[in-house]
Amino acid sequence: MSRVGVFVCHCGTNISATVDVAKVAEEMKNQPGVVYTEDYKFMCSSPGQGKLKEIIDEHKLDSVVIAACSPHMHEKTFRNAAEAAGLNSFKVEMANIREQCSWVHPDKAEGTVKSLDLTKKMIEKVRLNEELDKIVMPVTKKALVIGGGIAGIQAALDIAAAGTEVIIVEKDVTLGGHMIQLSETFPTLDCSQCIMTPKMVEASLNPNITIYTYAEVEALDGYVGNFRARIRRKAKSVVEEDCTGCGICQEKCPKKVDNPFEMGHGKSKAIAVPFPQAVPNVPVIDRDSCIYYKTGKCRICEKVCGPKCIDFDQQDEIVNVDIGAIVVATGYDTMPLDRFGEYGYGKYKDVIDGLTFERMASAAGFTEGEMKRPSDGKTPETVVFIQCVGSRDESKGVSYCSKICCMYSAKQTMLYKHKVHHGKAHVFYMDIRAGGKNYEEFVRRAIEEDDANYIRGRVSRVYEKGDKLIVKGADTLSGRPVTIEADMVVLATAMTARKGADKLAQTLGISYDRYNFFSESHPKLRPVETNTAGIFLAGACQAPKDVPETVAQASAAASKVLGLLSQETLKREPITAEVNEANCIACFDCLNICPYGAITSKGITDRDGNIIKEVAEVNPGVCQGCGLCNAACRSKTIELRGFKDNQIYAEINSLAV
Amino acid sequence: MHSGHEAAKDEYIEQIAELSGEDVSLCYQCGKCTAGCPMAEKMDLPPSMVMRYMQMEHSDELKKATSRWDCIGCLVCGSRCPKLCNPAAVMEALRQEDMRKGTRSEEIEKLPVNFVKNAPQQALVSGFRKYVP
Amino acid sequence: MSEEKVENKEVWTPRIIAYVCNWCTYGGADLAGTSRKTYDASVRVIKLPCTGRIDPLFLLKAFERGADSILVSGCHPGDCHYNTGNYHSRRRWTAFRDLLEFSGIDMRRIHFSWISAAEAVKWVDVVNDVSEKTKELGPYTEFQRINEKIKEYDGIFAEQG
Amino acid sequence: MKIPYYPGCTLNTNAKDLQECAEFSAEALGFSMVEMPDWNCCGASLPLTANSAMGYAGPTNVLIGAKEEGQKEGLEDKLVTLCAVCYNVLKRTNYAFNKDAAKLDTINSLLESDYKGDTNVVHFLEVLRDDIGFDKVKESVSKELKGLKVAPYYGCFLLRPHEEVGLDDPYAPTIFEGLLKSLGCEVVDFSHKGECCGSYSAMSNAENAAECSFSVIDAAAAAGADVIATTCPLCQYNLDSKQAMMKKNHGDMKEMPIIYFTQLLSMALGKDIGKISFKSNSINPLPLLKEKGLV
Amino acid sequence: MESLQSKAKELIKDASVAVIIGYAAGTKKGKTKPFFAYSEEDCEKLIFTPECVNNLTIYLTRKFDFMKKGKVAIVAKGCDIKTINVLIQENQLKRDDVVILGVSCEGVVDKDVILDRAELTADLPEDKKSIKCITCDVNTPSDFDHLFGEGVESKAIEPMTGGIYDEVDKVRGMAQGEKWNFWMEHFERCIKCYACKKVCPLCYCDVCITEKNQPQWIETSAHERGNYAWNIKRAMDLSGRCTFCGECDRVCPAEIPLNLLNQEMAKLNYEAFDGYRAGYQTEEKPPFVSFKEDDDEGFIR
């Protein structure tokens, strides 16, 4: 027989005005298992809490019901107080007779009847409450950042700044991501090299940051606070530690290759760094194009290398790291343009995409920042910018808005105008989306000061006539077709999720949307968390974002990581599901329905280790306690602690008429 | 869930929408149809505007407009529409409505004689979509 | 005893059991309180983490135990604290409602709503409406009759010892 | 190889040139087109509006006819067309049926038939590419059309709507080019391959049609073509017969012969130039062909 | 049936299966019985006739230990294959562990029908067929390792119409009170013998909810309240899973029309969840562990 204590709070007159608290206290005496009841002015006051402790001790209470305000208000208060008195905090329940009774039912008789019911209900429940201990998990005080673009670097720097170790895994040869490709950035027009390179260097010099470039995360197991990641460091054919970055190998290498960093325009070598400011400044041999790997001859780089750090036989290296939290910052790709035949991309050299324009405009780019169109190097006198290429296009592209194109198209018209003063830029747009600090002003500047001609409409076709590109568009404001003879056309290509993002998501066990962007845990309230505890998102891998937003989110993710890793151990409410392994028949409805992937299959083995039975297993570190599995389980073999079926039944039964 | 009462629609617009089988609310006025239409230059209401007037239920202006008679059903509009609309269908519906109501059709008398002699029959056959049988 | 109640209308007040999720509807009900909105007192709230936790049989139990009406309420789609809980429960309810209707339950006595933690007013309206409708319908006698009958059996068995 | 052939309204009459040369070429390449008996008009334009069942009855009849004929006479299980419009209409009829079974049922009940929407409609070009193969064509060429700069003009109906017709990539098609190359022509790539010639607006508004056609010829000329090759009688008519009218508005324009692809094909396959009829050509291509030393 | 028997022998001979689960002539006229062939001579007893009503797939479940004996072969009708699919879907069976001896079937006899020999050879008249056969569209199994009986063209049917579904619609048409009385009259008869769950291949839990008393989900004594709870609970648990083998209905001593309940659920799942039909695939997730963001919520305010 349990020993329940019931405390009915007056809350000044907040409750007592419309509920006969004395009567409630009195009647509860007759409830089975109740050994003490009392009504008291302010239960949450420190004397009130003191009394609670006192009575628990004095009457050897094994459970407590506080009939007072909403549990959302003071459940923690009373549970802590009870705990201080040596009572398990989950043996405390609250009956909400204020928010859901005294304040909403002016009739005292009704209020009292309802209070009696609500209190009785909680008595019945608390008698079945089990003593639960908070789940305590150790924490590995180290973070992993996947992706070395602006998002990843920012997150890593912030985490490192707090003295926490962090590993950056970048699949490319260098840090920098897409941002380092950009010429100048809106809305301030500062050169991204100037603001990005220092961050890259800072990251490489920070003792708390370990950088693995040319590497990828292959597998992940464990759970929040206790992950283990398997990282594959691809063979660079260069011994990173010894390389001085003198660059002689690249200079002497006889094999020219297209440079993807320059969007296929500038040339590079089979052994190279993509650009001079690369971090780390260590070249990598591209084994697909290197002459030696094809023919077995050459080895010139090896000969010329001073520190002798070329290693043709180098193998991929597998590194296993233990980390407590992860920031995913893998960025974006741009949509392949081959599907837009009507714009002639690929067919006409002078139809280029936004990133190519960035490289063209960049002082370090393939034209040293001069406006020279690819076909004949002429200066384009008329340039047409087409927005929403692939964005907001259900038939050929994606239905979402890529968000950054409006701004960078405006920026590009400015950059162009600043370089070609007599030139004319036309922009075909559908809507100008310039929501952001100084954004609208920026676009107006492009139009009013830099003379960009904005035309509201889409382009239907681009074709060559002589050395001109004929752009057939429409101005929907006047409802007339528009034809422009241009020298160059720039397509504002849709931002898409990284190729293979879905695969990475599966590796990490996070969810992703139908476009393969990673899903945040809650669209409003948990925008940087994923559904997998301990894994956070930063930047365009979650959705199209510009630099300021990305940096903000990266810092947000970092602070989430730090919050997590600042704890010695992780304590979690033990409101999690538990499986009765004896009865589980592994139909795995629970596994299928769990929003968090907290449930896995487990083999039960006999003495000799042969699997004799398969059952569901809950990972308490991951389970969030929603109880979906409990309701889904036909034989009620999996139940939610704190809300078990018999507890709910007790509540229902207590209300029987 | 259920939007309670629907505002009464313009009869003519309804009729055209039903005839054409097009949901004009899909159109977000990007103008790609007008941009590609070989006849747009000549039209008083190019395809995108026709779609717009349908959305706004400017039925009187639509009735007055003649662009549907310039439309030659080359299907460029529909084949490039990012929203998978088909303005050509709306044009056709407008034409058919004209002809049913007898408000307009091409006049057979006006057919150039030598055309009838030399032109490929297919021209006449497909052209007759603009003539009252 | 429910019989007396039926005879004696003043005494009878509807018994409405509400299964609500902790994050949205329970919050909405609290907000109704903090903003001192008054509503009918016949509702009794049972708090669960998520509508997805509600087992269909809970509803049946409530009727067996003399509930006259039932309200189930949770977060709006997309707002679920657990992301997808309410989507799953929505499906479960679709089937279970159908089954109850098919097997002769009075569907005017089962109500579903999405009420967010901000929708105090909606909570008030829904509760008032449910109890209003329930009052019109009167007590839910189908189960009560069965209960009476079973009591009689038990009596008989008791006599026979 | 014997393939059921659907001439449609134009090929037996005003576009005889196109047909005769096709028949000759077919023989030369070892297959024959069997004109199906008592065919009816395809309607020459598929109804665009929603519930216009009637417009489908015509083409459906043709498709059924071809299937029956094919089975009766043991011909290939397809239907070949020369006219781009017929091709378009028949192909899209099938597409509509496969997309919307209800439509098929309506038509079937209308025609008291049980058509399944499965008659394989192909264009003459496809037969050359897929059944004969352009290499084989190349081998069979007896007179290479060296030095002739030809602009292949598809027009609307071979390419649009792509998902319904799907003859080739609407912006970078290759089939027509492939054929011309195999004949030894110099293929001229030009921007207006798929733009409209003005179509039937020729009958109500010749000016408009002429403008459309001009833009096509202009583009071809700019790309350095001597001649435009077409597959469609109406395109041929508009581009060819309206040049006088075009001159009025574009004085500087140079006349350009508009020739059926089968006329070129049969030439290359050795048909005596004297026997090739150029009735439908108001701009006589012979001078050009002489100049190029092909006659 | 030679081919069935010879194939069976072959399988036993080269030891590719441990046992063959099939049908043999029953002791009562017009009845067949489940039969387990371990030897080649056993195999000669194997038959398949319209009297082979049972859904043998229950022997593939954890309720029996045949699967522990090694690879198992089973004689299965199209409808039985559906159960196999669900069992695979629910991780209760691996396709590779069972050799399916598919039999094409034009219908089996209704529960009370006894055929005489003559009828056995002739095709079975509709009115003697089990009701599940009226709406069957898998006369030839959708999946099998070996097929026997000349392939019967599966009927093209409009799902969820005709046969039992007409009955379902009748009940749907009743007024609420009518429905309640209709079912109460039936449930009153329920004696909680649980034959329904015993015979059901999808009631495979080791410990059934009826055996739980913390809480007491299902009252033990047989009165309308507990009976109603039980039958509703069971129908709900079979919702989106029941493949309409009709076994529960067939064995119910109280003759409660369980097919009605289960097929109402089947129809609902078909109508509400994109035409979902249990047992027609193994890949797709069942309706109650999946959802669509735009599922209907007309009933929620």
Side-chain angles (χ1 to χ4, degrees), chain E residues 2-288:
Chain E
E2 275 57 36
S3 61
L4 171 57
Q5 289 171 1
S6 48
K7 171 54 75 177
K9 284 182 189 160
E10 193 182 311
L11 289 170
I12 293 289
K13 188 134 173 288
D14 58 27
S16 44
V17 301
V19 56
I20 292 164
I21 303 172
Y23 303 92
T27 40
K28 282 214 241 74
K29 170 172 184 297
K31 300 286 177 199
T32 61
K33 63 178 185 198
F35 179 73
F36 312 99
Y38 293 91
S39 68
E40 291 188 53
E41 42 287 348
D42 284 357
C43 292
E44 311 203 333
K45 299 209 184 62
L46 288 172
I47 59 162
F48 182 76
T49 72
E51 291 162 339
C52 299
V53 179
N54 310 50
N55 178 353
L56 300 177
T57 60
I58 187 171
Y59 297 110
L60 301 178
T61 67
R62 62 197 312 122
K63 293 175 159 186
F64 298 83
D65 54 8
F66 288 99
M67 296 313 292
K68 297 206 186 80
K69 301 180 194 288
K71 202 157 184 173
V72 166
I74 183 165
V75 177
K77 310 182 286 291
C79 48
D80 306 332
I81 303 294
K82 289 196 260 174
T83 318
I84 291 181
N85 286 340
V86 175
L87 289 171
I88 292 171
Q89 210 176 5
E90 296 179 353
N91 189 47
Q92 297 304 305
L93 184 66
K94 299 207 172 14
R95 179 63 179 88
D96 304 346
D97 297 350
V98 46
V99 176
I100 299 179
L101 307 175
V103 284
S104 46
C105 163
E106 286 178 272
V108 294
V109 292
D110 194 13
K111 52 181 166 186
D112 316 320
V113 174
I114 306 286
L115 299 178
D116 48 46
R117 288 285 153 269
E119 285 175 302
L120 257 185
T121 49
D123 337 354
L124 194 56
E126 290 290 302
D127 62 349
K128 296 199 170 178
K129 283 184 186 169
S130 160
I131 187 152
K132 72 175 172 182
C133 305
I134 308 300
T135 51
C136 171
D137 63 349
V138 287
N139 307 71
T140 296
S142 58
D143 178 21
F144 52 78
D145 298 295
H146 310 284
L147 180 64
F148 305 97
E150 62 287 356
V152 187
E153 177 79 13
S154 288
K155 281 199 255 68
I157 53 129
E158 176 55 32
M160 306 301 156
T161 56
I164 188 71
Y165 302 104
D166 292 345
E167 305 299 312
V168 164
D169 290 338
K170 277 206 201 82
V171 180
R172 278 189 177 187
M174 295 182 191
Q176 178 248 326
E178 259 181 286
K179 287 183 191 156
W180 177 257
N181 298 335
F182 173 85
W183 285 111
M184 278 308 146
E185 280 157 25
H186 285 304
F187 292 152
E188 205 168 17
R189 295 197 306 275
C190 175
I191 51 171
K192 288 241 177 72
C193 66
Y194 295 130
C196 45
K197 89 181 188 201
K198 277 268 169 291
V199 77
C200 177
L202 296 180
C203 267
Y204 49 67
C205 291
D206 288 346
V207 178
C208 175
I209 188 128
T210 55
E211 299 159 43
K212 296 230 158 131
N213 58 3
Q214 273 302 333
Q216 188 73 54
W217 285 94
I218 308 298
E219 293 172 278
T220 46
S221 49
H223 50 57
E224 290 98 320
R225 193 171 63 207
N227 297 352
Y228 181 76
W230 160 243
N231 285 286
I232 292 301
K233 164 70 176 165
R234 186 166 180 279
M236 190 60 192
D237 282 356
L238 282 172
S239 174
R241 305 172 59 228
C242 175
T243 61
F244 191 17
C245 70
E247 292 291 82
C248 49
D249 187 289
R250 184 172 66 90
V251 300
C252 178
E255 303 203 311
I256 299 169
L258 295 165
N259 282 339
L260 270 182
L261 276 182
N262 294 329
Q263 290 326 296
E264 166 61 20
M265 284 287 92
K267 195 171 166 111
L268 178 275
N269 278 278
Y270 182 80
E271 290 164 346
F273 308 133
D274 316 302
Y276 184 89
R277 292 200 288 163
Y280 282 79
Q281 70 289 306
T282 55
E283 293 317 311
E284 197 179 339
K285 274 192 178 182
F288 296 107

Side-chain angles (χ1 to χ4, degrees), chain D residues 210-258:
Chain D
E211 269 314 298
C212 289
S213 294
F214 173 75
S215 67
V216 174
I217 296 173
D218 188 43
D226 307 322
V227 57
I228 295 177
T230 73
T231 64
C232 167
L234 183 48
C235 299
Q236 198 278 341
Y237 174 81
N238 281 337
L239 292 172
D240 177 275
S241 69
K242 299 253 173 312
Q243 293 196 21
M245 191 182 284
M246 300 176 200
K247 278 229 187 63
K248 288 205 203 75
N249 307 336
H250 310 278
D252 55 347
M253 125 170 219
K254 186 167 146 297
E255 279 192 345
M256 180 177 298
I258 314 298

Side-chain angles (χ1 to χ4, degrees), chain A residues 17-217:
Chain A
T18 47
V19 173
D20 183 342
V21 285
K23 182 167 184 232
V24 175
E26 192 47 38
E27 287 210 3
M28 288 307 120
K29 284 205 166 66
N30 316 327
Q31 287 302 309
V34 174
V35 295
Y36 181 91
T37 73
E38 172 172 11
D39 58 290
Y40 187 82
K41 203 116 194 89
F42 282 110
M43 277 310 293
C44 60
S45 67
S46 48
Q49 294 187 45
K51 170 176 284 297
L52 174 63
K53 296 179 193 158
E54 198 177 298
I55 304 290
I56 290 174
D57 184 53
E58 189 183 321
H59 292 262
K60 308 271 168 295
L61 301 183
D62 66 8
S63 34
V64 167
V65 170
I66 317 265
C69 51
S70 164
H72 288 187
M73 186 80 188
H74 273 312
E75 190 175 70
K76 274 215 162 37
T77 318
F78 293 119
R79 287 191 162 172
N80 294 340
E83 196 147 30
L87 185 65
N88 180 287
S89 61
F90 293 90
K91 295 291 284 176
V92 177
E93 289 286 355
M94 290 187 74
N96 185 344
I97 63 168
R98 191 180 76 174
E99 282 81 350
Q100 295 187 17
C101 188
S102 71
W103 277 350
V104 289
H105 307 314
D107 178 322
K108 194 159 186 168
E110 284 182 347
T112 308
V113 172
K114 183 171 178 180
S115 299
L116 288 166
D117 280 347
L118 297 182
T119 316
K120 224 187 305 168
K121 183 166 71 79
M122 293 329 288
I123 295 172
E124 286 307 309
K125 173 163 195 274
V126 81
R127 293 174 64 203
L128 294 171
N129 280 18
E130 303 164 305
E131 297 199 345
L132 300 177
D133 299 322
K134 288 232 165 52
I135 299 166
V136 180
M137 303 174 292
V139 177
T140 315
K141 292 180 172 298
K142 196 187 237 185
L144 170 67
V145 173
I146 307 176
I150 180 59
I153 292 174
Q154 185 62 49
L157 287 173
D158 291 353
I159 294 169
T164 308
E165 281 184 63
V166 47
I167 301 164
I168 300 179
V169 173
E170 165 59 53
K171 76 170 175 18
D172 207 341
V173 179
T174 168
L175 297 182
H178 274 119
M179 183 174 171
I180 197 68
Q181 280 182 289
L182 308 181
S183 54
E184 292 169 6
T185 53
F186 62 81
T188 48
L189 291 189
D190 39 11
C191 123
S192 84
Q193 294 243 329
C194 321
I195 56 179
M196 186 69 177
T197 320
K199 279 189 179 289
M200 291 156 63
V201 176
E202 196 185 336
S204 67
L205 297 179
N206 189 315
N208 286 331
I209 301 180
T210 314
I211 300 171
Y212 297 139
T213 54
Y214 212 50
E216 284 178 40
V217 175

Side-chain angles (χ1 to χ4, degrees), chain D residues 65-76:
Chain D
K67 220 174 185 35
E68 288 169 351
E69 181 67 4
Q71 280 153 0
K72 197 153 87 263
E73 305 298 325
L75 311 176
E76 292 291 310

Side-chain angles (χ1 to χ4, degrees), chain A residues 342 392 394 456 458 460, chain B residues 28-30 32 80 83:
Chain A
E342 65 262 56
R392 306 174 65 190
E394 278 139 58
R456 195 210 171 280
R458 257 200 160 123
S460 175
Chain B
Y28 57 20
Q29 286 295 306
C30 72
K32 200 170 181 177
R80 292 186 195 159
K83 294 288 291 178

